[in-house]
């Protein structure tokens, strides 16, 4: 019995050390070094080669090394009865909040533009927006989205959220379902996407929906590249309906050389770093799910395979 790590992450050392520190009695190995595949019940995975899981006949659980599980769910060879779990970590949610706040404040105070002006020796004052001027819309108010929406509310922004199922509004107003999408979009001066990528959310940031945003709105996509219809974004930025976009996730990662996003003046690219899971912080929940798997107990942060998140 062991945990197998199947991942394209280059440096796995911090993951080995963190898991080992929490429980030195659990053997942890890589997909290349595993000795007896027929004894493996638990795989820790991030962007593993599809088809790999079929080689593990006793596999019970695949645990994502991130918050998203789409990289597992879109494996065409995913065995039918395998459980999927993902990370939900307060530290990761806080990192996402800090990234979001930085992106929003840069938008409000135009810091990047001043840096560009500086490089050309330009001294030019422009008007700025205040926190109290802005309404933020958070798409997906789950573990991360709710943390961000609550934090932004506390920071003084007007905030609304949109989710799949109905819920009472608390700190911020909550919209739900496709029927309320237009009301939600039409007020969002800055739209933050924190949805999981599912059959229902694929392409949700399309021309028809983004046109419902107020003129000069700004998009921050931290969910997945598949949420965004890329050419629709470029069209709405070029027509002036949207004023800019921070994109942290892409349909193809790394973003291919020559992609039109690279040189677009209104697009700000970061390489999927809104948050990076900290192995020491998430190792306890991984090992708890490992033990629960071998003891046939209920799992934490289990993904609903039908729902897709
Ligand atoms: P959760 O599963 O906790 O929350 C998902 C939220 O999305 C829920 O509020 C859910 O609604 C809502 N949702 C799902 N489907 C729909 C739909 N069809 N219509 C409306 N709302 C929907 O996920 P997390 O908050 O933990 O993570 C969200 C995503 O963030 C991840 O899947 C990943 O893609 C991305 N992420 C990106 C990172 C980065 O570095 N860029 C880092 C970490 C995560 P309901 O509450 O009704 O169920
Ligand atoms: C993700 C993550 O799901 O980095 O993107 O956790």
């Amino acid at each position: 019995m062991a945990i197998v790590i199947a991942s394209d992450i280059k440096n796995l050392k911090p993951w080995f050390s963190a898991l080992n520190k929490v429980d030195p009695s659990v053997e942890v190995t890589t997909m290349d070094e595993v000795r007896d595949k027929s004894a493996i019940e638990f795989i820790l995975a991030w962007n593993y080669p599809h088809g790999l899981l079929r080689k593990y006949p006793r596999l019970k659980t695949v645990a994502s090394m991130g918050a998203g599980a789409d990289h597992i769910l879109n494996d065409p060879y995913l065995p039918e009865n395998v459980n999927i779990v993902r990370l939900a970590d307060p530290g990761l949610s806080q990192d996402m909040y800090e990234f979001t706040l930085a992106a929003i404040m840069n938008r409000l105070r135009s810091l990047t533009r001043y840096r560009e002006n500086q490089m050309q020796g330009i001294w030019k004052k422009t008007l700025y927006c205040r926190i109290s001027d802005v309404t933020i819309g958070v798409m997906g108010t789950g573990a991360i989205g709710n943390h961000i929406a609550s934090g932004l509310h506390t920071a003084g922004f007007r905030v609304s959220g949109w989710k799949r199922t109905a819920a009472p509004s608390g700190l911020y107003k909550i919209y739900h379902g496709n029927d309320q999408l237009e009301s939600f979009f039409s007020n969002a001066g800055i739209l933050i996407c924190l949805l999981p990528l599912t059959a229902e959310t694929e392409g949700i940031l399309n021309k028809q929906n983004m046109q419902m945003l107020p003129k000069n709105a700004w998009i921050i996509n931290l969910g997945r590249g598949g949420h965004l219809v890329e050419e629709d974004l470029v069209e709405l930025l070029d027509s002036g309906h949207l004023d800019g976009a921070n994109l942290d996730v892409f349909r193809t990662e790394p973003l291919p050389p020559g992609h039109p996003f690279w040189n677009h003046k209104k697009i700000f690219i970061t390489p999927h770093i809104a948050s990076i899971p900290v192995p020491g912080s998430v190792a306890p929940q991984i090992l708890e799910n490992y033990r629960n798997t071998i003891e046939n107990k209920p799992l934490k942060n289990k993904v609903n395979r039908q729902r897709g998140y």
Side-chain angles (χ1 to χ4, degrees):
M1 212 91 80
I3 294 179
V4 171
I5 305 187
S7 161
D8 67 350
I9 295 173
K10 294 230 164 40
N11 181 14
L12 286 172
K13 261 197 200 154
W15 289 89
F16 281 101
S17 328
L19 292 165
N20 190 258
K21 196 166 164 198
V22 176
D23 189 345
S25 71
V26 176
E27 185 189 341
V28 185
T29 182
T30 62
M31 57 184 168
D32 300 323
E33 282 162 359
V34 55
R35 280 175 282 126
D36 179 9
K37 292 194 179 74
S38 67
I40 300 301
E41 297 187 6
F42 190 95
I43 290 184
L44 186 57
W46 188 257
N47 290 336
Y48 61 93
H50 286 168
L52 175 104
L53 304 183
R54 290 191 301 187
K55 297 177 186 157
Y56 293 79
R58 282 182 59 197
L59 184 64
K60 287 187 188 159
T61 303
V62 188
S64 173
M65 294 167 89
D70 48 300
H71 63 108
I72 301 169
L73 288 161
N74 66 21
D75 178 353
Y77 308 106
L78 184 64
E80 240 175 57
N81 297 319
V82 159
N83 293 309
I84 300 171
V85 294
R86 67 188 195 90
L87 298 179
D89 177 50
L92 193 138
S93 296
Q94 177 63 17
D95 288 356
M96 296 290 281
Y97 168 67
E98 291 178 17
F99 178 89
T100 309
L101 189 60
I104 294 171
M105 291 315 297
N106 192 24
R107 150 82 173 143
L108 298 194
R109 303 307 297 254
S110 309
L111 298 182
T112 307
R113 184 162 349 119
Y114 287 119
R115 173 72 187 169
E116 282 163 11
N117 286 354
Q118 175 192 337
M119 299 322 279
Q120 295 175 60
I122 297 173
W123 177 278
K124 184 177 171 213
K125 296 183 190 195
T126 47
L127 289 178
Y128 51 83
C129 289
R130 298 189 176 81
I131 286 177
S132 56
D133 295 332
V134 184
T135 300
I136 312 264
V138 179
M139 295 180 88
T141 52
I144 299 171
N146 177 52
H147 184 74
I148 291 178
S150 306
L152 293 174
H153 165 82
T154 305
F157 291 96
R158 282 188 302 277
V159 179
S160 58
W162 180 74
K163 64 204 284 290
R164 193 175 61 85
T165 54
S169 297
L171 278 183
Y172 55 92
K173 180 165 174 56
I174 294 189
Y175 296 88
H176 74 275
N178 288 335
D179 292 348
Q180 296 184 4
L181 189 69
E182 184 164 5
S183 308
F184 166 72
F185 263 53
S186 61
N187 283 306
I190 298 181
L191 182 79
I192 307 167
C193 177
L194 281 158
L195 291 168
L197 186 62
T198 68
E200 282 180 21
T201 64
E202 215 290 322
I204 196 160
L205 297 176
N206 55 39
K207 183 172 170 183
Q208 191 189 344
N209 288 342
M210 290 189 291
Q211 270 176 334
M212 297 182 215
L213 293 167
K215 191 160 164 36
N216 290 326
W218 192 279
I219 305 263
I220 301 179
N221 187 18
L222 308 180
R224 285 289 180 263
H227 290 130
L228 179 69
V229 180
E230 297 184 339
E231 54 279 17
D232 289 359
L233 175 72
V234 171
E235 186 183 330
L236 292 177
L237 289 170
D238 290 347
S239 72
H241 185 71
L242 298 178
D243 204 33
N246 286 90
L247 306 178
D248 186 55
V249 284
F250 301 90
R251 285 182 181 262
T252 306
E253 295 183 8
L255 187 66
H259 190 286
F261 285 172
W262 280 115
N263 291 319
H264 200 289
K265 281 192 87 122
K266 292 183 169 178
I267 293 179
F268 295 75
I269 291 171
T270 45
H272 201 144
I273 47 69
S275 73
I276 298 171
V278 176
S281 174
V282 297
Q285 63 178 277
I286 293 168
L287 284 159
E288 188 181 338
N289 269 334
Y290 170 71
R291 279 189 297 274
N292 290 347
T293 296
I294 53 184
E295 291 166 15
N296 289 316
K297 289 188 180 156
L299 300 171
K300 270 182 107 168
N301 304 322
K302 192 171 164 191
V303 172
N304 177 325
R305 286 182 62 162
Q306 268 67 49
R307 219 174 49 172
Y309 69 99

